[in-house]
């Protein structure tokens, strides 16, 4: 006769099954090799759930004590690396629950009352992602501090600004640095939004339809620092919007990092020689003794592929998935973990690299002296002398062609030569033809004039609390 009251099998259940699961199926369906990283959240969620069950008289206080003590001990063992994870128990939830059952007996078998793995995995994942958002927000502040420090340090230094990778107009180097500050600031606000939107507790929705047991979802939500509970049990069981939103934010961050990386790769090459990446952040070539390669920005640029790929995996995973929970959803974790790890390590090493970066300001200013970078200023000068802009554009275009023929820059022309192209030109024209004059005239809001950039640096320092 079999004892139906005792669970003596390797697993947590099995009543419905006549045979055991094939080893190949166990191996194929297991997720413990990657979802074990959710253990802290799983234990915290279970303690909050058990506490609520005790409050609702579903567990006695002795049973609750045994569960809390058992879970705490299991948590310590996992932390210490001494816990024996079993792939046949599939995932982190069942590994922990089975270990609890083996240690404390019948009380352990009551923990899963009014809970399914569907709400359990959702709560673990959300708690994990909340923490990841917070960590990435801190790292975004870190990289932005590096940009603002550079902007302050190089305030007043001028470089070419580019469109189409062609020299366009001179700008403050600090303005270029603060462009990245703005990008990562937006990334931060996206992470804050995402953290806030996901912060509703899924626990207590049952498998998909709610539960007839008298649960107190709000109490569990409060204990786990959620702002409230989710509204619809069916939506909750299959919702992964929060994971997609997080990974999309990660993709955007990595994309911003890749743009920066591309510029650092270009600027550190001999063709530009705008920047020195510290030796600490470069590697040599196995064959060419003279090489100093910008591997860090290159790798960060390359890693944008995997983060965007993770986002694509998730979007594809969710497309067409019927309500509510489907096992497909187990495939949500690896891309999210990989995106979070990649973005965190990239942000942190890039901030370090920026802390050790120096600019070759002489090469930068030198690069502004050729390429007719003040041509727009000359056109604007004519506009102020009442020449219609389109006409002014034509005049300056012809002047540039003349200079190209002559092999000189606009600044090298005499007033007499200039006047031949437009009567509106006067001696004061040379003020606008200088690079410095050009940059500092651009004091429109958001412009690169020293006055504006200085204000922007002050403001950024204030926002980051580094004054
Ligand atoms: N390991 C599963 C996952 O990550 C947990 C939820 C399993 N639920 C189920 N009904 N099979 O999605």
């Amino acid at each position: 006769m079999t004892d139906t009251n005792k669970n003596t099998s390797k697993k947590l259940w099995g009543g419905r099954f006549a045979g055991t699961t094939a080893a190949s199926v166990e191996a194929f369906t297991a997720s413990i090799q990657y979802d074990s990283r959710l253990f802290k959240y799983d234990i915290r969620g279970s303690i909050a759930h058990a506490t609520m069950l005790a409050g609702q008289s579903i567990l006695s206080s002795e049973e609750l004590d045994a569960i809390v003590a058992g879970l705490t001990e299991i948590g310590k063992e996992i932390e210490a690396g001494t816990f024996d994870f079993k792939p046949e128990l599939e995932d982190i939830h069942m590994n922990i629950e089975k270990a609890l059952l083996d240690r404390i007996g019948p009380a352990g078998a009551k923990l899963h009352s009014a809970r399914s793995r569907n709400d359990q995995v959702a709560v673990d994942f959300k708690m994990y992602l909340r923490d990841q958002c917070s960590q990435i927000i801190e790292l975004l502040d870190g990289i932005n501090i590096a940009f603002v420090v550079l902007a302050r340090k190089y305030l007043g230094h001028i470089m070419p600004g580019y469109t189409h990778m062609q020299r366009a107009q001179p700008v403050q180097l600090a303005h270029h640095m603060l462009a990245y500050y703005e990008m990562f600031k937006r990334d931060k606000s996206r992470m804050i939004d995402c953290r806030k939107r996901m912060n509703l507790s899924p626990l207590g929705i049952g498998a998909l339809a709610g539960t007839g047991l008298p649960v107190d979802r709000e109490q569990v939500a409060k204990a786990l620092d959620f702002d409230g509970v989710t509204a619809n049990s069916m939506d909750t069981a299959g919702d992964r919007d929060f994971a997609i939103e997080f990974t999309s934010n990660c993709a955007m961050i990595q994309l911003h990092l890749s743009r920066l990386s591309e510029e650092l790769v270009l600027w550190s090459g001999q063709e530009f020689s705008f920047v020195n990446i510290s030796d600490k952040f470069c590697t040599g070539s196995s064959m060419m003794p003279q090489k100093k390669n910008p591997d860090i920005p290159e790798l960060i640029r390359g890693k944008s592929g995997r983060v965007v790929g993770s986002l694509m995996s998730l979007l594809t995973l969710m497309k067409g998935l019927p309500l509510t929970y489907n096992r497909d959803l187990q495939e949500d974790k690896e891309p999210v973990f990989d995106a979070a790890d990649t973005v965190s390590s990239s942000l942190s090493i890039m901030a370090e690299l920026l802390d050790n970066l120096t600019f070759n300001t002489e090469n930068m200013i030198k690069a502004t002296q050729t390429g007719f970078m003040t041509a727009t200023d000359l056109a604007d000068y004519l506009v102020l002398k009442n020449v219609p802009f389109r006409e002014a554009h034509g005049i300056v275009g012809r002047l540039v062609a003349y200079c190209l023929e002559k092999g000189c820059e606009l600044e090298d022309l005499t007033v007499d030569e200039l006047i031949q192209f437009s009567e509106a030109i006067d001696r004061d024209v040379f003020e606008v033809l200088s690079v410095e004059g050009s940059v500092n005239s651009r004091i429109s809001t958001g412009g690169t004039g020293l006055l504006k950039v200085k204000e922007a640096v002050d403001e950024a320092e204030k926002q980051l609390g580094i004054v």
Side-chain angles (χ1 to χ4, degrees), residues 139-266:
L139 291 168
L140 287 166
D141 276 344
I143 199 164
N144 262 347
I145 288 172
F147 281 118
V148 173
V149 166
L150 283 171
R152 170 66 72 197
K153 182 170 165 198
Y154 289 98
L155 199 60
H157 288 279
I158 293 172
M159 65 177 291
Y162 297 83
T163 61
H164 312 270
M165 264 326 279
Q166 310 285 320
R167 288 176 192 165
Q169 291 179 339
V171 293
Q172 291 273 340
L173 167 55
H175 200 47
H176 200 126
M177 294 297 100
L178 291 186
Y180 283 107
Y181 169 77
E182 290 298 326
M183 294 184 218
F184 291 112
K185 199 172 107 181
R186 286 196 296 276
D187 290 332
K188 176 178 169 179
S189 82
R190 267 186 285 271
M191 275 298 178
I192 293 171
D193 282 355
C194 164
R195 189 185 193 288
K196 172 133 199 58
R197 200 170 2 264
M198 80 168 73
N199 205 29
L200 295 174
S201 171
L203 268 188
I205 57 134
L208 75 157
T211 168
L213 292 171
V215 292
D216 183 346
R217 294 189 61 201
E218 283 73 15
Q219 183 201 323
V220 176
K222 215 159 151 214
L224 296 176
D225 295 319
F226 283 99
D227 298 327
V229 300
T230 56
N232 181 299
S233 61
M234 295 186 75
D235 168 46
T236 306
D239 171 38
R240 292 296 181 272
D241 290 6
F242 60 92
I244 294 179
E245 201 175 337
F246 172 81
T247 310
S248 159
N249 292 347
C250 286
M252 188 85 90
I253 294 170
Q254 198 71 26
L255 186 144
H256 289 153
L257 284 171
S258 82
R259 297 181 70 184
L260 170 66
S261 296
E262 170 71 9
E263 295 203 320
L264 289 174
V265 170
L266 286 173

Side-chain angles (χ1 to χ4, degrees), residues 31 35 91 93 117-118 121 325 327 329-330 333:
S31 56
D35 68 16
D91 56 24
H93 324 295
R117 272 188 300 155
N118 301 348
V121 71
Y325 180 84
R327 191 64 181 271
L329 290 178
Q330 183 167 291
K333 277 161 220 75

